[in-house]
């Protein structure tokens, strides 16, 4: 198709259906991948004697010029040309004439868009994982710097048992490690080279798909051309990883919001991440954490959206698939921006050590330790539990924390209590939890070491 013909073809469609089919505003951001893919495809066509090496040089030179035009903002975008592929191809016609028509040999936009998107997803996974690792490092630093702070650990949002703040923080390190794995999985899925599937059936030309894969850093080739042009599972995987990640961010945000409230008063977020109220001068609203919590809605929505697009879609390529990019780009943008700012926010957190500790002391969080104490004195756990529970009730009734109980207070509940019961405190409680994965300082410090080693790999 000559340049004029191709324009006419697209224009006719465009006039009929208006802006509805245009995807340029979205897929324009794939231009670098599109040009890189086209250049390697051109080299391959020449290697295989499908085009001459002279034609190859002309096409590649043209593509390079186009790349510069786009980068320098002088490219004449034409939305009536529908998408990024047609814009570049049409411009190539303008620049080098009919030779441009040879570029699209043995290729279709159906495998081309798959290639571009796979390249985008691969880079996105690498970038996001680097950012997640930076955030993890910040968390590990914070954990290490606060490794002597004890806080009440919660279950059911009730104070349960004393734990190290560092242990609590490292729970987020673990969550983010799983996210890194998920983005790695999405990378592996995207890392399969689709070009050469053409429209859906493959091509009669003697192409060399291995060459293209190797030059574009793909590990494997897609094996079924029909599946290739209709597969968007790798985007689902990316959107799933993004959704789990943003869910973790949302949970973390929620805790930071609670902890910075007057009710908890555990932390203070730096001014940069809070805003005042126009009417209440005392307010410091944790806006950034709130917005991060809220962003989970759209990211999870993007996953559901693509599922809904794919569900019931017959083979092979259908134009519905063009709708994949809205959510893909939106989730990517959201995840990247949240990650960059979240990292800064965590770095700027002020921890109120005394408030963590006094909350742990005031609470009934030693009740389990009292029960375990009686077990060590020979009582069975159920009976020990019942005595510890009476002590808790009593402590509540007289508003006296267990940490302030005397030996006689204890003895009134069981003759098994001796002087050494007074050694039970939040510190001994924490340090007794030496089971692997437990909150004892020695465990937590060795987890910090392991985490640092992993992050440096
Ligand atoms: N803009 C399209 C997409 O994103 C590119 C492929 C178009 N293929 C076609 N036969 N119209 O899926």
């Amino acid at each position: 198709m000559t340049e004029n013909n191709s324009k006419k073809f697209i224009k006719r469609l465009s006039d009929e259906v208006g802006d509805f089919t245009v995807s340029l505003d979205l897929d324009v951001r794939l231009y670098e991948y599109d040009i890189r893919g086209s250049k390697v495809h051109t080299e391959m066509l020449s290697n295989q004697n499908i085009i001459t090496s002279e034609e190859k040089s002309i096409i590649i030179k043209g593509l390079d010029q186009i790349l510069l035009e786009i980068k320098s903002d002088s490219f004449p975008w034409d939305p009536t040309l529908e998408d990024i592929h047609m814009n570049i191809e049409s411009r190539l016609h303008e620049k080098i004439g009919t030779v441009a028509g040879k570029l699209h040999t043995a290729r279709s936009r159906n495998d081309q868009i798959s290639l571009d998107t796979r390249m985008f997803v691969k880079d996105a996974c690498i970038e996001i994982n680097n950012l997640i690792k930076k955030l993890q490092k910040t968390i590990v630093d914070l954990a290490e710097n606060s490794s002597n702070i004890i806080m009440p650990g919660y279950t059911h949002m009730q104070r349960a048992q004393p734990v190290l703040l560092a242990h609590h923080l490292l729970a987020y390190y673990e969550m983010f490690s799983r996210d890194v794995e998920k983005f790695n999985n999405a990378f592996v899925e995207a890392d399969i080279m689709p070009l050469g599937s053409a429209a859906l059936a493959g091509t009669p030309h003697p192409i060399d798909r291995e060459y293209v894969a190797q030059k574009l850093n793909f590990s494997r080739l897609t094996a079924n051309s029909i599946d290739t042009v209709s597969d968007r599972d790798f985007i689902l995987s990316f959107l799933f990883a993004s959704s789990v990640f943003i869910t973790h961010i949302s949970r973390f945000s929620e805790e930071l919001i609670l902890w910075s409230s007057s009710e908890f008063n555990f932390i203070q977020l730096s001014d940069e991440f809070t805003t005042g109220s126009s009417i209440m001068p005392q307010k410091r609203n944790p806006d950034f954490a709130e917005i991060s919590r809220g962003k989970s809605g759209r990211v999870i929505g993007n996953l559901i959206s693509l599922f809904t697009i794919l569900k019931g879609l017959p083979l092979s390529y259908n134009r519905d698939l063009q709708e994949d990019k809205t959510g893909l780009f939106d989730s990517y943008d959201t995840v990247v921006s949240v990650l960059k700012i979240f990292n800064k926010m965590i770095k700027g957190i002020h921890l109120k050590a005394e408030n963590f500790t006094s909350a742990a002391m005031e609470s009934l969080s030693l009740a389990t330790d009292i029960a375990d104490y009686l077990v060590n004195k020979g009582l069975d756990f159920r009976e020990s539990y019942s005595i510890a529970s009476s002590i808790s009730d009593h402590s509540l009734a007289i508003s006296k924390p267990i940490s302030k109980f005397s030996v006689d207070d204890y003895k009134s509940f069981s003759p098994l209590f001796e002087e050494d019961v007074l050694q039970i405190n939040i510190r001994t409680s924490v340090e007794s939890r030496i089971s692997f994965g437990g909150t004892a300082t020695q465990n937590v410090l060795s987890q910090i070491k392991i985490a640092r080693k992993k992050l440096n790999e």
Side-chain angles (χ1 to χ4, degrees), residues 132 135-136 139 169 171-183 240-256 289 292-293 295-296 299-300 335 338-339 342 345-346:
I132 294 180
L135 175 59
Q136 285 183 299
I139 292 171
L169 291 171
Y172 287 101
Y173 167 85
E174 294 293 330
M175 292 184 221
F176 293 130
S177 295
R178 293 195 292 275
D179 294 334
V180 168
E181 270 173 46
K182 286 190 182 67
F183 281 109
F240 176 67
S242 302
S243 298
V244 180
F245 165 76
I246 206 79
T247 301
H248 293 155
I249 285 287
S250 187
R251 295 180 72 172
F252 203 172
S253 299
E254 169 66 6
E255 293 213 302
L256 299 177
S292 300
R293 184 178 57 186
K295 293 276 187 201
S296 54
V299 174
I300 296 166
V335 166
V338 164
L339 266 166
F342 216 87
M345 181 173 67
I346 302 295

Side-chain angles (χ1 to χ4, degrees), residues 23 27 83 85 109-110 113 232 317 319 321-322 325:
S23 61
D27 55 35
D83 58 26
H85 322 298
R109 279 189 290 161
N110 296 351
I113 187 62
R232 295 294 182 272
Y317 180 83
R319 195 63 184 279
L321 293 173
Q322 177 170 298
K325 278 172 282 301

Side-chain angles (χ1 to χ4, degrees), residues 19 24 67 75 78 80 82 115 129 146 195 227 242 245 253 280 309 334 337 349 369 381 423:
D19 291 342
L24 182 64
L67 184 64
F75 186 90
D78 182 355
T80 63
E82 205 176 275
L115 177 75
N129 272 348
S146 63
L195 214 60
D227 176 45
S242 302
F245 165 76
S253 299
M280 298 164 282
I309 291 165
T334 307
S337 68
I349 283 183
D369 300 81
F381 183 76
Q423 281 163 20

Side-chain angles (χ1 to χ4, degrees), residues 9 13 21-24 27 30 82-85 108-114 117 199 229 232 317-325:
F9 166 70
L13 271 181
T21 56
V22 175
S23 61
L24 182 64
D27 55 35
L30 296 173
E82 205 176 275
D83 58 26
I84 181 68
H85 322 298
S108 145
R109 279 189 290 161
N110 296 351
D111 55 351
Q112 193 179 354
I113 187 62
S114 170
T117 314
V229 296
R232 295 294 182 272
Y317 180 83
N318 295 276
R319 195 63 184 279
D320 314 42
L321 293 173
Q322 177 170 298
E323 290 296 314
D324 60 357
K325 278 172 282 301

